[in-house]
Amino acid sequence: MVTLTRLNGKSFIINALYIEQIESFPDTTITLTNGKKFVVRESEGDVMLSVVNFYRSIQILGLHKHLEEDRFEE
């Protein structure tokens, strides 16, 4: 889950597994797999970082991180 902030300043939590697309129009707009859209204060990069951290916390990206570290050690 990822905590984000609406343009009106209210925070909310979104399930990152349902994020299909993140765009800047210039406001950051998140589109879910069901087509619902959210406009948030966070930048596109901040949202991506939060999503990656969430994936790592549930060990979806954990293997990739270890493979990446092994590649740089060679």
Side-chain angles (χ1 to χ4, degrees):
M1 304 297 261
V2 176
T3 302
L4 298 169
T5 311
R6 297 181 191 272
L7 293 181
N8 65 5
K10 292 188 177 187
S11 64
F12 68 104
I13 298 172
I14 192 168
N15 188 337
L17 296 174
Y18 293 114
I19 294 176
E20 182 176 315
Q21 187 172 328
I22 304 169
E23 300 174 281
S24 296
F25 291 125
D27 293 323
T28 305
T29 303
I30 298 170
T31 305
L32 302 183
T33 55
N34 66 2
K36 190 167 185 174
K37 294 180 185 271
F38 294 93
V39 180
V40 299
R41 286 187 175 184
E42 289 80 7
S43 70
E44 194 173 323
D46 288 344
V47 174
M48 276 301 304
L49 183 60
S50 295
V51 169
V52 168
N53 287 335
F54 168 71
Y55 285 165
R56 284 195 175 132
S57 75
I58 61 171
Q59 298 181 357
I60 289 179
L61 293 180
L63 179 60
H64 176 72
K65 181 179 178 185
H66 293 297
L67 291 175
E68 195 173 286
E69 288 172 356
D70 290 343
R71 186 179 66 187
F72 288 118
E73 288 178 5
E74 294 177 355

